[in-house]
Amino acid sequence: MAHRVRVRNPIPQNAKYISADPKPENEGTELVWLFGTMKPAEQRVITMVLQADGKGDIENTARVSFEHGQTTKTRVASALRMEKRAPERAMVSDSWSYTIDVANTGASAVGDIVITDNIPEGLEFLNSNPSTKGENPLVWNIGKLDPGQTRRIEYQVAAKKAGEYSTAAKLSAAGGFTREASCRTVVGEPKLKMYKSGPDRRAVGRPATYHITLENEGNYQIRNIRLASKVDASFVMLAASGGGRLLGGEVVWEIPYLEPGKRKTGPRRPARRMTEKA
């Protein structure tokens, strides 16, 4: 690429200038054409007519000058860093906090910092520190951050319904700097079903086995499950699987967690007392 292309042609002393195509910018003792920028392989043709005065041979010299440059672009990254955090899982009606940290890791101050965030439908805004109106979009005017300075924004929400909630905080600052940080929280709804089966009839003294099944039909891990099955006073508890214990007339199981779509089944075996009431 040639820039500022300039062609000069002085008129020989023993010749007279008649015409030229294209017409020159200057038609004095020196003809000048200005062609600006010419792309690679581009051609420009000049046709010039001179009239000899008969006093010797005509020596005509044309000279061209131009500028050649190369442009490079270097992206200068802002020294601002932003991170957003939230719990990965929650339950319907739970509340939790979103935390947004903004840090200036550079050597100079950055001003006009503004952070915005949107609360998805299904979540309810509770409060914020520093405070904001609580209307979408949430807006915090941070102002200026000096080198090494960090600011934290923390706001609380509550889940009104189950679903997957992805949120993204956006930052803008002086100089056209922008940043974005996102996180995701999956909100589940407990859907625990229980089935119990056992024999309709059993002779006195014969063991009877009962099966109890728990099934997690939701999309969230359920923790700290306590299952209790009452034992009639006329029965004797013989055994229980899965760590079941007899406590105060009930067989009790403590189940740490049950994953979505999983079920847990276990038998307990009471036996009717050997003597009948009179």
Side-chain angles (χ1 to χ4, degrees), residues 76-253:
V76 179
S78 168
L80 292 177
R81 298 289 181 269
M82 182 169 67
E83 182 180 6
K84 182 177 182 181
R85 297 182 300 277
E88 294 182 357
R89 292 184 175 273
M91 295 287 285
V92 173
S93 298
D94 282 354
S95 61
W96 68 87
S97 294
Y98 285 106
T99 302
I100 304 171
D101 286 324
V102 182
N104 183 357
T105 60
S108 59
V110 181
D112 300 331
I113 301 173
V114 177
I115 296 174
T116 60
D117 206 341
N118 278 278
I119 299 179
E121 183 180 355
L123 300 183
E124 179 183 4
F125 174 82
L126 298 179
N127 54 67
S128 169
N129 183 25
S131 63
T132 186
K133 291 183 179 180
E135 302 173 355
N136 274 332
L138 305 177
V139 179
W140 295 272
N141 289 293
I142 301 301
K144 184 180 74 170
L145 280 182
D146 292 322
Q149 189 176 8
T150 300
R151 289 291 301 273
R152 169 168 290 185
I153 295 171
E154 191 171 14
Y155 68 95
Q156 287 74 42
V157 298
K160 296 187 291 184
K161 62 181 180 180
E164 181 177 310
Y165 298 96
S166 296
T167 59
K170 297 181 180 180
L171 177 151
S172 63
F177 294 134
T178 60
R179 290 290 181 269
E180 184 171 317
S182 61
C183 59
R184 184 189 71 161
T185 300
V186 177
V187 176
E189 186 173 7
K191 294 182 180 180
L192 189 62
K193 284 194 174 181
M194 182 175 67
Y195 311 90
K196 184 178 181 180
S197 62
D200 294 334
R201 295 177 179 273
R202 211 62 171 169
V204 174
R206 293 286 304 277
T209 300
Y210 297 88
H211 289 85
I212 302 174
T213 300
L214 287 179
E215 183 175 3
N216 184 357
E217 294 185 336
N219 61 350
Y220 189 79
Q221 182 191 79
I222 301 177
R223 295 178 176 271
N224 302 322
I225 303 170
R226 186 181 188 273
L227 173 64
S229 179
K230 186 177 181 180
V231 179
D232 191 272
S234 61
F235 282 78
V236 174
M237 170 71 179
L238 297 180
S241 67
R245 299 174 296 160
L246 184 63
L247 296 173
E250 292 181 331
V251 184
V252 177
W253 290 265

Side-chain angles (χ1 to χ4, degrees), residues 1-21:
M1 190 85 72
H3 303 280
R4 296 186 180 180
V5 178
R6 184 171 184 262
V7 177
R8 296 166 44 244
N9 195 135
I11 303 299
Q13 292 184 356
N14 56 346
K16 179 182 179 182
Y17 167 70
I18 302 300
S19 64
D21 184 23

Side-chain angles (χ1 to χ4, degrees), residues 1-7 22 33-46 64-69:
M1 190 85 72
H3 303 280
R4 296 186 180 180
V5 178
R6 184 171 184 262
V7 177
W33 290 266
L34 301 177
F35 292 132
T37 298
M38 295 183 63
K39 299 178 180 179
E42 183 181 356
Q43 293 183 354
R44 299 297 294 269
V45 177
I46 298 174
V64 61
S65 63
F66 62 92
E67 294 180 2
H68 174 72

